[in-house]
Amino acid sequence: GQSLEQPSEVTAVEGAIVQINCTYQTSGFYGLSWYQQHDGGAPTFLSYNALDGLEETGRFSSFLSRSDSYGYLLLQELQMKDSASYFCAPSVYQKVTFGIGTKLQVIP
Amino acid sequence: GAVVSQHPSRVICKSGTSVKIECRSLDFQATTMFWYRQFPKQSLMLMATSNEGSKATYEQGVEKDKFLINHASLTLSTLTVTSAHPEDSSFYICSARSTEGPLHFGNGTRLTVT
């Protein structure tokens, strides 16, 4: 079977850095994606790790450790507009499945 | 790049009618498209996976005769909700990818069945 864990809620201050962790258990894994979803909207792609290490895209970075079945999304210089739900999504053969996501609230 | 267009964005229909939702990859060839459904304050639930030219693979509990998926070309997939009922009211989102990489999502279709 497959399992996925990430915190359900995180609150952080504007301008700060926040890390959202994700642990997964699945077979046929070949990469980890991160998506952002604002209330009422569709998910938007943020970052993807196929290999171990850090991927940096502007204020967002994502990290993957295959041996630990672990990844994280790092958001720097938080802005109010970053308040949203964030999903890690393991890619397995022919599927990308989602957990409940992490609701990030950025406060002034 | 990697733009996915989904249409319509909102649809209201009467119970018993059918609704077709289109999903197009605009600037890449989508060998695989996925259809998700999301109820309020819940996660995205995968409904089915479709590969161009093949029959869709449906997730457990999803009625294939009710949710008809066609992936006739590398840039277009359609989901038809047949004989819609109020419990089918939801946010339907398509996504596409060209290789075994990340998904790119359409903007979703909010279906309301009255």
Side-chain angles (χ1 to χ4, degrees):
Chain A
Q2 178 176 306
S3 68
L4 190 64
E5 286 189 22
Q6 56 180 119
S8 58
E9 293 183 357
V10 172
T11 300
V13 178
E14 190 177 14
I17 299 173
V18 71
Q19 179 173 313
I20 299 173
N21 297 320
C22 171
T23 57
Y24 60 87
Q25 279 192 324
T26 186
S27 57
F29 172 87
Y30 55 84
L32 188 69
S33 305
W34 288 91
Y35 297 86
Q36 177 193 63
Q37 186 179 29
H38 287 98
D39 284 345
T44 57
F45 169 72
L46 292 178
S47 189
Y48 176 70
N49 295 74
L51 303 175
D52 284 359
L54 193 67
E55 290 283 339
E56 297 181 73
T57 311
R59 293 189 298 117
F60 297 162
S61 303
S62 61
F63 172 83
L64 175 65
S65 168
R66 286 174 167 265
S67 60
D68 296 322
S69 297
Y70 164 76
Y72 66 72
L73 179 69
L74 192 72
L75 296 86
Q76 303 182 70
E77 300 172 20
L78 280 174
Q79 302 175 8
M80 298 300 291
K81 67 178 182 180
D82 296 330
S83 293
S85 291
Y86 292 83
F87 296 90
C88 67
S91 294
V92 299
Y93 178 68
Q94 282 288 313
K95 287 187 184 184
V96 177
T97 55
F98 291 80
I100 61 170
T102 298
K103 192 168 182 67
L104 170 65
Q105 184 181 11
V106 181
I107 57 176
Chain B
V3 176
V4 176
S5 172
Q6 186 173 342
H7 179 80
S9 58
R10 288 180 181 273
V11 59
I12 300 172
C13 70
K14 292 188 176 181
S15 188
T17 61
S18 295
V19 173
K20 180 185 279 190
I21 302 169
E22 287 191 354
C23 180
R24 293 181 184 270
S25 56
L26 298 185
D27 53 359
F28 67 100
Q29 292 187 325
T31 52
T32 308
M33 286 188 170
F34 302 85
W35 288 94
Y36 292 85
R37 180 167 54 181
Q38 188 176 36
F39 293 104
K41 300 194 184 302
Q42 294 188 20
S43 186
L44 294 93
M45 298 302 298
L46 179 65
M47 298 176 67
T49 303
S50 73
N51 292 296
E52 182 263 341
S54 311
K55 288 185 178 180
T57 302
Y58 289 80
E59 294 299 299
Q60 193 172 8
V62 179
E63 300 174 58
K64 63 180 181 180
D65 294 329
K66 181 170 182 62
F67 299 99
L68 302 179
I69 291 171
N70 184 284
H71 191 167
S73 76
L74 284 171
T75 59
L76 174 65
S77 177
T78 60
L79 167 67
T80 302
V81 183
T82 62
S83 188
H85 292 285
E87 57 265 32
D88 298 324
S89 298
S90 189
F91 190 43
Y92 292 86
I93 313 168
C94 75
S95 64
R97 67 180 180 200
S98 59
T99 59
E100 292 179 346
L103 300 184
H104 298 280
F105 286 86
N107 286 333
T109 297
R110 195 160 302 282
L111 170 64
T112 303
V113 184
T114 61

